[in-house]
Amino acid sequence: LESNQTGKPQRLAVVTFIPTKNKNLPNEFGEYLTESLISELSVNKKAFKLFERGRLDMVLRENDLMLSDLMDQKQAIRVGELVPIDVLFSGTYTRLKSYIDINCRLIDVVTGEILVSFSERIELDENIGSLFTDDDKSAREKNTETGDKDACMEKAAQIRTSLKDLTTQNKIQKTSSDARAIPFDLKCGDIHFSVISSFLRYKISDDDYTNFLLKTLDTITFPANDNRASESLRYFFVDSTIDDREWQAGLKVIRRYNYGIARLVKILFSGSSRLQDLTAFHSRIDRYFILADKGQIGLPLPFHYNSCFFMMTDGLKDNKDNRLLKYVYENYSTRLDPEEPVKGASFRKTTDGLYSLLIYMYKSETDAAEKKVFLQWIADFFNASEKSENASKQLFDFVRSFELSTNEDVNQRIRREYPADDLAFIVKSCRNKFTEYALMTPYKNQLTDRIHFCAANDIPVPGGIPTMNEAAEILKGDNWEEKIRIMKILELMKDKPREIESSLVQLTKQKELDRKKDLIEIQKSAMVVLGNIRTENPDAIRFMIENTVSFDYSVYDRAKDALVKIGKPAVPHLLSKLRSLTSRDDSFEYQIIVVLGRIGKDARAAKADIRAIFQRTTHKERRYTFEAALQAIE
């Protein structure tokens, strides 16, 4: 007691004292000595607050810590990392002829420092001696156990043979009866894993065997490290239902678990997708969360409510049915503590878990009405989020999921999971958040992508997307990098740049010696933007026509696409150029006719000219293209 100088109770754990020899014999004296010490130490509650011994033993077993190791300072520190204690009391004893020699130490589990170390001798009288097992007697008992074990193993082998033939009800009952005669906790009890596996494979439901497993579950103190528990729960679903008795047994197992609860939830809620009335499952979920509220789920320490929530939802995800997930989210997500870290999941933050859950429900939902409900929840989640880099990433990651790929098979899936109309809803619902988050990234490429998304969806981003007046001034300046950036943004803004049409046309007239490459990039963008606003400016249209022939495909592609968008106003200029060409300008001729064909019926004025060219052309591929253009125009 003198070791505690802190002024407040220290959290103390006492581990079982162990013998220095004959370690395979029953340790009755060690148990007696340990319990006596615990009783003595518990009297002075001002000095020590004792950690529950049963929970400590469970932690030691789970982490493969031997009692013999706990006299070691390093191992004591490891125990301190696993359980909430300050000091560890451990010791050994040696039985001699007339007395017992006891050595023990008190170790600080943070520093590994030995606070107290002492030895004591206890006289070996008749009463103390009765706590030690006679070696000869132990050997006799061991031989008896060996004989019993051999008989048990022989019986297990017979059952394993019978599992190969389960063709009649009598054979099934005989196998079940033989198996029930072997306790699950014996070495030969491993046969039950084979029985369960075979019964599950052939969908054999046997009430007597179910009752046997239910009784076994009650004897499992720490089911997380005992496959008997999970295998028994799996067997309960062999008849495609989990009845109330099986559910109650499963809930008891969950209460004693220390990890992997989602796996049990998956089993216990299997079959819900086939039911129209989920009332019974709702009641079971309610019972689970009542226990979570009370801190009664998990050993050796209960899980926080947040962890219980996500272990439940993770288990329900695997059942491919969003109705139960929806019930959990609607009724229990509001109680989550956003500051509490999550254990037992792939994420640590509560907000990350909610984001993941909402996206899963939305993405996997096939009912259009329900999908809209989840979409609204996603919008509410984003709008309620506090400004942070992580929140901005979640928002833009979600809208990026709507982007189509170059693979049509993949696109079919994307359109099914992320309908285009839903993107417009999120943009409208979270418009202010997009503005707020657009610039919140240290990555240049990511910043560009976000600004381009906002530009394409008419979302203002002060400092990222200029007003039209600001854009016009930038285009007049000498900052070529900034001009190229602004032109890429204008490309995405549909017809909004119409008010700066004159500035865009002026770019097509500009010439440069030193920055020719940069100017070409700007002029390519200018053609795209002028096409988007359907310009009728003759100078701009003629510039596009001249660029339908180029060594750079990115130049002539943009020129042709822009002319097609302009449509009918471009036709007179295209015809004028077509009629001015000579026989040496066949490339120009070909490209102009392609554009006129793509314009379609609005290019009827060019019909006679194209037909005349078609008739005098002998080149097979060109004739095919010209004929296709005529058909499109007609």
Side-chain angles (χ1 to χ4, degrees):
L1 300 180
E2 295 176 358
S3 66
N4 185 7
Q5 304 297 325
T6 63
K8 60 180 181 179
Q10 285 185 294
R11 297 170 298 178
L12 170 69
V14 181
V15 296
T16 305
F17 277 59
I18 58 171
T20 57
K21 60 181 182 178
N22 297 328
K23 294 181 180 180
N24 293 325
L25 297 179
N27 187 22
E28 293 183 51
F29 176 76
E31 294 288 343
Y32 164 77
L33 181 59
T34 304
E35 287 299 325
S36 299
L37 278 168
I38 290 175
S39 297
E40 184 68 27
L41 290 169
S42 64
V43 173
N44 193 338
K45 297 188 183 321
K46 293 182 179 181
F48 295 112
K49 182 178 181 181
L50 293 178
F51 187 77
E52 185 181 340
R53 187 182 170 198
R55 289 193 171 187
L56 177 64
D57 289 343
M58 187 203 70
V59 171
L60 298 181
R61 282 196 297 272
E62 286 178 353
N63 293 274
D64 296 323
L65 287 169
M66 304 296 292
L67 291 174
S68 57
D69 294 334
L70 297 184
M71 291 289 282
D72 180 82
Q73 294 157 267
K74 292 182 180 179
Q75 294 300 327
I77 292 175
R78 187 180 176 198
V79 173
E81 294 172 347
L82 296 171
V83 294
I85 62 173
D86 302 308
V87 286
L88 185 72
F89 197 166
S90 64
T92 63
Y93 64 90
T94 304
R95 177 188 176 186
L96 300 172
K97 188 173 183 178
S98 58
Y99 62 88
I100 302 168
D101 192 19
I102 300 172
N103 290 281
C104 51
R105 57 181 61 177
L106 195 66
I107 305 174
D108 187 312
V109 297
V110 176
T111 65
E113 179 186 359
I114 299 175
L115 302 175
V116 177
S117 177
F118 59 91
S119 299
E120 187 65 57
R121 286 183 176 181
I122 296 179
E123 183 180 352
L124 184 57
D125 58 20
E126 184 177 349
N127 290 328
I128 295 297
S130 67
L131 297 174
F132 290 89
T133 301
D134 179 76
D135 291 355
D136 292 335
K137 179 182 176 182
S138 177
R140 289 194 300 272
E141 291 176 348
K142 186 174 182 180
N143 288 333
T144 301
E145 290 177 3
T146 301
D148 291 342
K149 179 180 177 182
D150 290 342
C152 182
M153 296 301 288
E154 182 179 348
K155 191 65 176 178
Q158 293 173 0
I159 295 172
R160 191 166 280 108
T161 300
S162 70
L163 289 174
K164 297 178 181 178
D165 183 5
L166 299 170
T167 54
T168 67
Q169 190 61 35
N170 286 338
K171 291 178 179 180
I172 291 172
Q173 290 177 349
K174 177 68 165 57
T175 301
S176 171
S177 177
D178 290 344
R180 297 196 310 272
I182 299 178
F184 214 144
D185 53 356
L186 295 182
K187 178 63 177 177
C188 57
D190 285 351
I191 185 62
H192 288 288
F193 294 114
S194 298
V195 174
I196 291 173
S197 178
S198 295
F199 281 12
L200 282 171
R201 184 184 307 117
Y202 301 115
K203 299 188 182 304
I204 296 172
S205 178
D206 183 83
D207 290 342
D208 291 332
Y209 195 66
T210 298
N211 291 332
F212 168 79
L213 295 178
L214 284 167
K215 291 178 181 177
T216 298
L217 278 179
D218 284 337
T219 68
I220 303 175
T221 306
F222 306 113
N225 288 342
D226 196 324
N227 288 334
R228 293 179 297 170
S230 58
E231 286 301 290
S232 296
L233 295 185
R234 282 206 318 129
Y235 179 72
F236 293 160
F237 191 65
V238 69
D239 58 356
S240 300
T241 59
I242 298 289
D243 63 28
D244 287 339
R245 184 179 56 155
E246 292 163 345
W247 157 253
Q248 291 297 336
L251 188 59
K252 287 182 180 179
V253 172
I254 285 177
R255 293 181 66 176
R256 301 196 298 270
Y257 242 61
N258 64 344
Y259 68 92
I261 288 177
R263 182 162 57 101
L264 305 185
V265 169
K266 176 183 177 181
I267 297 170
L268 293 171
F269 286 87
S270 296
S272 61
S273 59
R274 298 193 299 271
L275 301 178
Q276 291 300 318
D277 185 6
L278 298 177
T279 304
F281 283 104
H282 290 168
S283 177
R284 293 174 182 180
I285 289 172
D286 294 340
R287 178 58 182 160
Y288 172 90
F289 279 103
I290 288 172
L291 295 175
D293 267 333
K294 294 180 178 179
Q296 295 180 2
I297 293 179
L299 286 177
L301 295 175
F303 287 107
H304 188 273
Y305 179 90
N306 287 27
S307 299
C308 292
F309 177 91
F310 288 113
M311 286 187 288
M312 169 62 78
T313 57
D314 281 352
L316 293 178
K317 284 180 184 178
D318 289 331
N319 286 319
K320 310 298 182 186
D321 187 346
N322 287 327
R323 291 177 297 167
L324 292 181
L325 283 173
K326 181 182 179 184
Y327 180 81
V328 172
Y329 184 86
E330 281 184 307
N331 291 279
Y332 296 104
S333 64
T334 55
R335 305 184 194 179
L336 293 170
D337 180 356
E339 301 301 322
E340 179 69 24
V342 179
K343 296 181 180 179
S346 59
F347 44 80
R348 296 288 293 168
K349 292 183 178 180
T350 296
T351 52
D352 290 343
L354 283 176
Y355 171 77
S356 176
L357 174 60
L358 289 169
I359 298 304
Y360 173 86
M361 290 193 291
Y362 171 77
K363 177 182 175 181
S364 61
E365 185 57 57
T366 56
D367 181 83
E370 288 296 287
K371 205 171 183 71
K372 291 294 184 184
V373 172
F374 299 146
L375 184 66
Q376 181 63 62
W377 288 355
I378 291 173
D380 294 342
F381 171 81
F382 288 139
N383 285 327
S385 64
E386 295 185 6
K387 186 176 181 180
S388 68
E389 189 175 322
N390 188 54
S392 72
K393 181 179 183 300
Q394 289 173 342
L395 177 60
F396 282 96
D397 279 351
F398 178 62
V399 295
R400 191 176 296 110
S401 301
F402 290 82
E403 294 179 3
L404 298 179
S405 70
T406 56
N407 186 313
E408 188 52 36
D409 291 336
V410 173
N411 288 342
Q412 289 180 13
R413 175 186 58 77
I414 293 174
R415 293 187 187 99
R416 181 177 65 253
E417 295 176 351
Y418 298 92
D421 290 346
D422 288 359
L423 176 61
F425 176 85
I426 283 292
V427 169
K428 181 179 179 181
S429 301
C430 304
R431 186 179 179 84
N432 292 338
K433 285 296 181 181
F434 282 109
T435 298
E436 183 179 11
Y437 291 159
L439 304 182
M440 289 190 65
T441 173
Y443 306 107
K444 186 176 180 179
N445 289 341
Q446 197 173 73
L447 178 63
T448 299
D449 289 343
R450 292 182 180 187
I451 289 175
H452 285 185
F453 174 85
C454 291
N457 290 278
D458 196 23
I459 299 171
V461 181
I465 300 177
T467 65
M468 289 302 102
N469 287 336
E470 291 171 342
E473 288 302 313
I474 291 171
L475 295 179
K476 293 177 184 177
D478 295 326
N479 188 334
W480 288 86
E481 184 176 346
E482 184 66 3
K483 286 199 286 187
I484 292 173
R485 186 185 78 85
I486 295 304
M487 288 304 301
K488 295 299 181 185
I489 293 174
L490 294 176
E491 284 187 44
L492 301 167
M493 300 179 73
K494 302 180 179 66
D495 63 350
K496 193 172 182 180
R498 187 182 303 281
E499 60 186 270
I500 60 169
E501 182 178 3
S502 59
S503 297
L504 297 169
V505 173
Q506 191 60 39
L507 291 174
T508 66
K509 300 177 180 180
Q510 192 172 341
K511 308 293 180 184
E512 275 290 335
L513 292 176
D514 296 332
R515 307 302 294 259
K516 183 177 179 180
K517 185 176 179 180
D518 291 334
L519 179 61
I520 291 174
E521 283 299 312
I522 290 173
Q523 289 177 336
K524 285 194 294 186
S525 291
M527 288 191 289
V528 174
V529 180
L530 288 165
N532 290 340
I533 67 174
R534 307 294 196 273
T535 185
E536 296 186 19
N537 183 279
D539 293 335
I541 293 173
R542 284 194 289 268
F543 177 80
M544 296 174 193
I545 293 172
E546 292 300 322
N547 279 283
T548 56
V549 175
S550 171
F551 291 111
D552 185 344
Y553 76 91
S554 64
V555 172
Y556 64 69
D557 276 352
R558 284 167 172 76
K560 290 191 292 184
D561 289 343
L563 289 166
V564 172
K565 285 183 179 180
I566 293 168
K568 192 172 183 178
V571 172
H573 302 284
L574 288 164
L575 266 177
S576 176
K577 182 65 177 179
L578 184 63
R579 291 167 182 169
S580 70
L581 298 176
T582 67
S583 58
R584 291 176 296 179
D585 299 319
D586 55 346
S587 293
F588 245 134
E589 182 180 80
Y590 176 84
Q591 297 294 356
I592 290 175
I593 293 175
V594 167
V595 172
L596 289 167
R598 287 176 60 190
I599 291 174
K601 291 180 172 53
D602 284 339
R604 287 193 188 96
K607 183 177 178 180
D609 293 85
I610 297 174
R611 186 175 298 280
I613 295 171
F614 169 73
Q615 290 174 347
R616 70 169 182 260
T617 300
T618 58
H619 192 284
K620 183 178 179 180
E621 290 299 323
R622 290 176 181 272
R623 285 179 63 83
Y624 180 90
T625 300
F626 297 160
E627 187 174 16
L630 284 169
Q631 290 178 3
I633 289 171
E634 293 172 349

